[in-house]
């Protein structure tokens, strides 16, 4: 059982979560080979203990120490799998850094992921919450995912259609996917690439540079510049990106809110529902730049909660609850957190 001898105990997780919360794991295993997962799930004790699959730690909030086994996915490798008449297929192992993978695709001439530049975290975590930014979600370009199924102790390929993708959601966050661990992700990137400038802020930033026909790398650089301006770098200040999802309400509820709040930021969805800008709602409630203990609301983007240094998970939760209560009282809308609470 050599794979299990690498398990470490009472393991500090502060540098393994982008919020920088000082939690500990009872047990910790860095997974560099799929074989290690077979070892864990074949073991009488570890197979039934609680487990946390950890990628880049950029979408979770530790509110306490973790009493089970952390499986830190560090499988590596990225490759061009094949090309056909219409697409290039490229693959990243779960532990690859997402942004480094996006850059690698661009350097090799495979365009299509550029709008998703600079999103923190790993490639393996990307499908779990169906990461999205600047007009693209990973579901738009994902071909398939290789998973380890802990229930059957086997690996298999799942096509995008089986992943039940939704806004910041997938089967991997749902009960039906609780036994699945992502091993690698394959993308189908169109050979006939066109820049996706549907997101107004990105289109404006590209236009300002007088780029008549921007390359994918130029789009990536523009996305990087926007993100650097608006979002805190987790290496400098602890955070998990957007802390709340943008709430989706009915067309009727949105219309009623607009009568009272004419400047409400909303985006009509294909099914007639309306997505509201949580950042705007929080900002309007006066939370931008405010703090509660060592937790705070980022001054440049009210949707991002930050660890100002030494914050506990409980402090971040208290701040989140206070924001939720204010937004609920003023707008009658419940904000749902985006990160997973541990
Ligand atoms: N706004 C404010 N005040 C604020 C923040 C935003 O008034 O403090 C307004 C903006 O002016 C804008 C609207 O709210 O009119 C929406 O803001 P923005 O365009 O910055 O995007 P977002 O809705 O805040 C979403 C994603 C981000 C993604 C961007 C760009 C969610 C929860 N967030 O943010 O994703 O990068 O769009 O596509 O869907 C993440 O998930 O971690 C994340 C950063």
């Amino acid at each position: 059982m050599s794979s299990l001898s690498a398990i470490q105990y009472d393991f500090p997780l502060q540098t393994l979560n982008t919020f920088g919360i000082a939690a500990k794991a009872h047990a910790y295993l860095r997974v560099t080979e799929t074989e290690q997962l077979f070892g864990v799930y074949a073991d009488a004790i570890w197979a039934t203990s609680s487990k946390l699959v950890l990628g880049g730690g950029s979408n979770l909030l530790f509110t306490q120490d973790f009493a089970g086994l952390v499986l830190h996915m560090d499988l590596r490798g990225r490759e061009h799998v094949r090309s056909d008449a219409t697409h290039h297929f490229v693959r990243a192992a779960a532990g690859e850094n997402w942004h480094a993978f996006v850059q690698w695709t661009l350097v090799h001439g495979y365009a299509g992921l550029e709008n998703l530049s600079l999103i923190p975290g790993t490639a393996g975590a990307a499908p779990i919450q169906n990461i999205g930014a600047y007009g693209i979600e990973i579901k738009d370009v994902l071909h398939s995912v290789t998973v380890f199924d802990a229930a059957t102790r086997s690996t298999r390929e799942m096509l995008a259609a089986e992943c039940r993708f939704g806004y910041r959601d997938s089967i991997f966050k749902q009960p039906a996917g609780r036994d699945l661990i992502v091993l690698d992700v394959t993308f189908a990137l169109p050979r006939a690439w066109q820049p996706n400038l549907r997101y107004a802020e990105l289109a404006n930033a590209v236009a300002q540079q007088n780029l008549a026909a921007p390359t994918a790398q130029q789009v990536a650089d523009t996305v990087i510049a926007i993100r650097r301006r608006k979002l805190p770098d987790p290496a400098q200040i602890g955070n998990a990106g957007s802390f709340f999802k943008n709430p989706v309400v009915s067309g009727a509820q949105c219309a009623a809110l607009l009568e009272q709040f004419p400047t409400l930021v909303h985006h009509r969805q294909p099914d007639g529902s309306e997505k509201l800008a949580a950042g705007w709602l929080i900002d309007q409630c006066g939370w931008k730049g405010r703090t509660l203990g060592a937790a705070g609301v980022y001054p440049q983007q009210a949707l991002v909660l930050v660890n100002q240094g030494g914050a506990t998970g409980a402090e971040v939760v208290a701040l989140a609850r206070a924001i939720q209560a204010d937004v609920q009282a003023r707008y009658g809308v419940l904000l749902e957190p985006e990160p997973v609470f541990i």
Side-chain angles (χ1 to χ4, degrees):
M1 278 293 148
S2 60
S3 59
L4 301 184
S5 63
I7 290 177
Q8 299 178 65
Y9 294 89
D10 208 24
F11 194 86
L13 299 170
Q14 189 164 18
T15 61
L16 298 182
N17 71 98
T18 59
F19 246 120
I21 303 292
K24 283 184 173 179
H26 165 62
Y28 166 92
L29 180 65
R30 191 165 74 92
V31 178
T32 56
E33 307 281 346
T34 304
E35 276 308 309
Q36 292 171 281
L37 296 177
F38 285 92
V40 165
Y41 285 91
D43 181 84
I45 292 170
W46 293 121
T48 54
S49 72
S50 68
K51 282 179 272 318
L52 169 64
V53 179
L54 185 64
S58 58
N59 197 45
L60 49 78
L61 176 67
F62 286 108
T63 61
Q64 56 190 345
D65 289 339
F66 184 68
L69 172 63
V70 167
L71 298 172
H72 184 195
M73 298 304 289
D74 205 14
L75 304 170
R76 295 306 179 107
R78 47 198 188 194
E79 61 178 324
H80 167 245
V81 183
R82 66 191 158 92
S83 295
D84 63 17
T86 55
H87 290 85
H88 300 297
F89 294 82
V90 290
R91 177 179 298 153
E96 289 291 331
N97 173 272
W98 172 258
H99 178 65
F101 173 63
V102 173
Q103 286 290 312
W104 177 88
T105 60
L106 296 175
V107 165
H108 289 81
Y110 311 122
L113 297 178
E114 58 281 347
N115 293 37
L116 303 174
S117 293
L118 213 63
I119 295 181
T122 57
I128 293 172
Q129 60 154 343
N130 181 24
I131 59 171
Y134 303 103
I136 296 188
E137 288 183 332
I138 205 178
K139 72 169 173 56
D140 303 331
V141 280
L142 185 138
H143 172 262
S144 59
V145 175
T146 309
V147 297
F148 173 82
D149 186 339
T152 55
R153 278 193 268 145
S154 60
T155 62
R156 70 168 187 275
E157 187 184 43
M158 290 173 69
L159 295 174
E162 298 172 70
C163 296
R164 301 188 196 171
F165 287 123
Y167 169 57
R168 296 295 188 274
D169 195 22
S170 75
I171 192 171
F172 307 108
K173 287 176 86 172
Q174 300 160 11
R178 67 165 181 256
D179 292 321
L180 305 178
I181 299 177
V182 176
L183 300 177
D184 63 47
V185 188
T186 301
F187 296 92
L189 304 178
R191 296 181 80 124
W193 175 83
Q194 294 280 336
N196 178 336
L197 302 176
R198 282 192 288 267
Y199 203 87
E201 191 181 16
L202 178 59
N204 294 340
V206 167
Q208 271 171 21
Q209 300 169 72
N210 295 316
L211 300 172
T215 64
Q217 186 63 57
Q218 286 171 327
V219 174
D221 292 344
T222 308
V223 167
I224 290 168
I226 296 173
R227 290 188 72 99
R228 289 223 165 103
R229 196 169 64 238
K230 292 176 67 165
L231 297 167
D233 176 358
Q236 316 271 332
I237 177 158
N239 75 91
S242 298
F243 194 88
F244 298 102
K245 295 185 201 178
N246 285 329
V248 178
V249 302
S250 68
Q253 189 178 354
C254 184
L257 281 168
L258 275 168
E259 284 195 11
Q260 224 185 326
F261 308 101
T263 57
L264 178 83
V265 181
H266 61 104
H267 299 284
R268 199 172 177 80
Q269 303 300 295
D271 66 357
S273 63
E274 297 273 356
K275 195 184 264 186
L276 307 182
W280 185 90
L281 299 171
I282 298 165
D283 195 353
Q284 294 293 308
C285 289
W287 276 103
K288 207 176 200 169
R290 276 177 64 188
T291 58
L292 209 63
V297 181
Y298 191 56
Q300 277 80 49
Q301 164 61 288
L303 197 47
V304 178
L305 303 192
V306 296
N307 175 359
Q308 304 206 296
T312 62
E315 281 176 305
V316 178
V317 172
L319 175 60
R321 297 276 178 259
I323 291 169
Q324 281 174 316
D326 275 6
V327 169
Q328 176 91 62
R330 192 173 156 108
Y331 298 101
V333 173
L334 177 65
L335 294 182
E336 202 186 313
E338 197 183 284
V340 176
F341 289 15
I342 306 295

